[in-house]
Amino acid sequence: MYLSGYRAAYTEKTGHDVSLRFADWIEQVEAARPWSARFKTRKSAGTERITFSPRRSFVRAFPPSPDKLRGDAMDLVIMDEAQHHDDVLGLSLDASIGPTMDTRPRRQLFITGTAGDVTSTYFRRHYAAAKAGAPGYVLSEIGTWPDDADPADENVWHAHHPGLRAGLTDVSALRENLGRLGPDRFAREYGNRWALMAEDGIPGLATWAARAWPAPVEQPARRFVVAYDVAWDRSA
């Protein structure tokens, strides 16, 4: 923000979440006297902006919609909570964000989030590319647990949770959330361990393949039947 004419844009999983995040940031900026006099803020929903007046630099909000940055020129775009987007939306966002940086030599795209599930195809695609060392990517993983780590092992928490080491949270809070979330979701939220199933109960491809009937069909069936099971409360 101290660079002259630096332009940044930020989005999250929904436009409402973006507005809530900017409301917090604007409140902090306006309370930071006497520095607050150097900043101008805009609070209108969907167009929130914080401008550092002496340098004409700003960070602005935009909802995760493909057309919201079209026609702009940006140095930095931050896609936060990217695990909530699938590739249908994600590819449209990429197609609209990329051209906004063509004329900006300091261009950067940050794609951040927590490990998702089988529906998190947008984040997983970029994560896999960065993991494979694709050109143009830099991968930063914070707090990721080893694949064989026990979610209930508190030694794992201390070794890999940056919030514990920095004093931002404590062990009792993690114990409570382990009880609420269960080991699998706890490992995803706190250890960046990718889930094999979607939260709505749809099995991932690996799970589906592992449950295939192994015996070959010896004779053609006269009737073909598809059966599926539904929880009584339709939760899965």
Side-chain angles (χ1 to χ4, degrees):
M1 290 297 292
Y2 287 92
L3 297 174
S4 179
Y6 193 77
R7 304 173 179 181
Y10 173 91
T11 192
E12 225 187 274
K13 57 184 177 180
T14 68
H16 178 68
D17 291 301
V18 176
S19 292
L20 291 176
R21 184 62 59 93
F22 262 80
D24 289 339
W25 289 344
I26 290 173
E27 183 178 348
Q28 294 174 30
V29 167
E30 293 179 342
R33 297 183 176 89
W35 285 96
S36 58
R38 298 190 175 196
F39 290 88
K40 294 181 179 179
T41 59
R42 179 191 296 170
K43 301 180 182 179
S44 300
T47 63
E48 294 91 344
R49 181 187 297 241
I50 302 172
T51 303
F52 184 58
S53 301
R55 298 284 184 174
R56 296 177 293 104
S57 295
F58 65 81
V59 56
R60 54 158 291 194
F62 75 100
S65 175
D67 296 327
K68 296 304 180 181
L69 286 183
R70 197 172 297 278
D72 290 339
M74 307 303 301
D75 296 290
L76 170 65
V77 176
I78 301 173
M79 299 276 296
D80 201 3
E81 300 291 346
Q83 73 274 13
H84 293 284
H85 302 321
D86 60 22
D87 249 347
V88 175
L89 175 60
L91 288 170
S92 297
L93 288 169
D94 284 349
S96 63
I97 290 171
T100 69
M101 300 182 177
D102 286 349
T103 62
R104 311 294 289 185
R106 299 173 293 191
R107 54 186 173 268
Q108 288 183 304
L109 171 62
F110 286 4
I111 303 174
T112 64
T114 305
D117 56 32
V118 294
T119 67
S120 306
T121 48
Y122 172 69
F123 190 37
R124 190 61 183 259
R125 173 170 57 85
H126 282 289
Y127 173 78
K131 195 85 170 177
Y137 284 91
V138 173
L139 177 63
S140 177
E141 291 190 90
I142 301 175
T144 303
W145 295 354
D147 291 338
D148 59 351
D150 179 2
D153 185 350
E154 296 186 6
N155 292 321
V156 173
W157 305 352
H158 286 286
H160 299 283
H161 195 302
L164 278 178
R165 285 179 285 179
L168 298 176
T169 187
D170 53 51
V171 172
S172 63
L174 269 67
R175 288 172 182 163
E176 292 173 5
N177 281 311
L178 173 61
R180 293 191 187 103
L181 300 176
D184 291 338
R185 184 171 291 187
F186 181 80
R188 187 186 120 185
E189 294 292 337
Y190 285 87
N192 273 318
R193 182 179 294 174
W194 288 83
L196 296 178
M197 298 180 67
E199 291 184 359
D200 60 3
I202 301 174
L205 292 178
T207 303
W208 180 269
R211 295 179 181 178
W213 181 258
V217 178
E218 296 179 357
Q219 297 179 356
R222 293 185 178 180
R223 292 191 301 169
F224 184 77
V225 179
V226 176
Y228 58 92
D229 191 19
V230 179
W232 66 270
D233 59 355
R234 299 187 180 184
S235 61

